[in-house]
Amino acid sequence: MKLFTFFVLESLLSPITLTGYGLVVLWTVSVSQRKNLSITAIAPLSCRWMLHLQGIRLDPVAHQLMQTLPSLNAGLNWAVVGPTLLAMNLSGYTPSVLTVPVPGQENLGNMINTRTLFFDQVLRERVGPLKNAVEQVVILGAGFDTRLFKFCTGRGLSLFEVDQPDTQRVKIQALTKSGIDLSEINFVSVNFNQENWVEKLVSSGFVPGKHTVFLCEGVTYYLTEAVVKQALRAMAEVSGKGSVVSFDFFSQSLVSGSHPWVWLKPGLGLLEAIGEPFYFGLQENNADQGTHVALSELLASCGFHLDNVQSMGPTNFGGLATAVVA
């Protein structure tokens, strides 16, 4: 009955949702291309906003960014999500894409929810009141991430966000417009294709050898394997004993389009069309081990040992990992 009620309400309100969605896509693509902003960075921000609106994960900074980023339109945002939220509240039914799945039961629609809460937990465990050894936190490829504000400010830590200049500049402007205090965050603008991000990080106040947490959400698959290894080695070399890196990854079958999902190849083609294609994926070993062996070998070759890994989906299409400097 809940599903039926939700379906009826969604159908009745679908003209608003579909019109809003179409206009949001046009707005976001147009502004992002004109201002040289990452389009895919909108997805994790939108996820955090929906979790905020559902009361699952409160994040007022993410809420503010959704209203003030130039690549988004506040009115159109509400046209997209408002009807669905209304249908959910009236019916008591939550569609799969808006749920937090049981670990290991994710699909590509809701895996970002799992990913979001996984990285939240990493920061809770590493920078909580009993983890005073951590001195620095670095978000690499930060995009529109808001975790430093949620978990790390007010703790006397050195905090850094590293990202492309255009995306970072727009983010700073939007946060300032929203009245968010930025005084504790060191924003490091880097052209990753032309500059050494470690040198830029150090010149911005990062101290090599200190106990550091690196977080890389939604980054690895947009890089080549050589660049992934180079980045991991750099993190291992520049950080102190006990330092950690946490990141997510996809399997090689997903990145290459050989995964059995029939709609995957069109999705990968769309990423190429907007200039943000996938490159890196980990080779699966077998159905039981998934990518774990390849992951352990990769980390060992770069100066880390695997501390924790959480596979995503019944088919192990990807995973979430935390590694410690060896």
Side-chain angles (χ1 to χ4, degrees):
M1 186 62 182
K2 290 182 179 180
L3 175 58
F4 175 77
T5 303
F6 176 83
F7 179 77
V8 170
L9 291 171
E10 275 282 76
S11 298
L12 292 173
L13 297 170
S14 62
I16 299 174
T17 304
L18 294 175
T19 301
Y21 185 77
L23 292 174
V24 161
V25 171
L26 290 174
W27 182 289
T28 299
V29 171
S30 175
V31 174
S32 297
Q33 290 184 339
R34 190 171 69 250
K35 293 181 176 289
N36 194 31
L37 308 178
S38 170
I39 297 175
T40 55
I42 296 295
L45 172 62
S46 300
C47 164
R48 292 194 297 274
W49 186 49
M50 286 302 297
L51 293 174
H52 173 82
L53 294 177
Q54 293 173 262
I56 296 173
R57 177 191 183 277
L58 297 182
D59 192 338
V61 178
H63 177 72
Q64 290 298 321
L65 275 179
M66 289 293 296
Q67 317 309 310
T68 53
L69 280 173
S71 53
L72 294 170
N73 180 286
L76 295 178
N77 292 342
W78 284 107
V80 173
V81 305
T84 298
L85 289 172
L86 178 61
M88 287 168 55
N89 289 332
L90 293 178
S91 68
Y93 174 80
T94 302
S96 172
V97 70
L98 297 179
T99 62
V100 178
V102 174
Q105 297 302 311
E106 298 85 1
N107 55 51
L108 282 183
N110 58 28
M111 56 82 66
I112 295 184
N113 295 337
T114 294
R115 190 177 80 180
T116 297
L117 299 184
F118 179 89
F119 288 127
D120 285 356
Q121 187 60 29
V122 168
L123 286 183
R124 282 196 191 94
E125 292 177 351
R126 300 291 173 174
V127 305
L130 300 180
K131 301 292 183 179
N132 295 324
V134 173
E135 299 168 279
Q136 302 175 129
V137 179
V138 180
I139 311 292
L140 283 174
F144 303 124
D145 194 290
T146 55
R147 286 190 180 85
L148 293 184
F149 300 97
K150 183 173 176 63
F151 297 108
C152 300
T153 55
R155 297 181 180 275
L157 301 169
S158 295
L159 307 175
F160 303 87
E161 285 198 6
V162 183
D163 206 2
Q164 300 280 2
D166 293 325
T167 296
Q168 191 169 85
R169 181 179 65 255
V170 167
K171 178 181 181 179
I172 292 172
Q173 291 172 348
L175 290 170
T176 301
K177 183 178 180 180
S178 300
I180 306 299
D181 182 9
L182 309 181
S183 60
E184 292 188 54
I185 314 294
N186 297 287
F187 293 95
V188 185
S189 295
V190 178
N191 186 322
F192 291 99
N193 294 321
Q194 300 175 5
E195 299 176 290
N196 185 309
W197 67 267
V198 175
E199 292 179 357
K200 291 292 293 285
L201 184 62
V202 171
S203 68
S204 298
F206 180 91
V207 179
K210 284 191 173 183
H211 190 163
T212 304
V213 174
F214 290 94
L215 192 152
C216 309
E217 180 183 17
V219 174
T220 62
Y221 22 93
Y222 296 106
L223 308 174
T224 64
E225 181 175 355
V227 173
V228 169
K229 290 181 176 180
Q230 183 182 50
L232 286 170
R233 290 186 183 116
M235 284 182 260
E237 291 170 1
V238 81
S239 56
K241 181 180 179 181
S243 294
V244 303
V245 57
S246 191
F247 59 96
D248 60 312
F249 59 90
F250 283 141
S251 67
Q252 180 59 39
S253 63
L254 187 147
V255 170
S256 66
S258 61
H259 193 281
W261 288 328
V262 296
W263 44 266
L264 181 59
K265 285 189 177 180
L268 293 174
L270 179 60
L271 289 173
E272 287 196 30
I274 64 174
E276 300 184 49
F278 286 168
Y279 291 106
F280 174 72
L282 283 168
Q283 185 65 48
E284 299 95 325
N285 303 105
N286 55 53
D288 295 323
Q289 293 179 322
T291 56
H292 293 189
V293 172
L295 178 61
S296 295
E297 292 175 350
L298 169 70
L299 290 167
S301 70
C302 297
F304 286 93
H305 67 80
L306 183 62
D307 180 64
N308 178 39
V309 61
Q310 179 177 312
S311 296
M312 289 193 293
T315 59
N316 290 322
F317 63 80
L320 305 148
T322 301
V324 181
V325 173

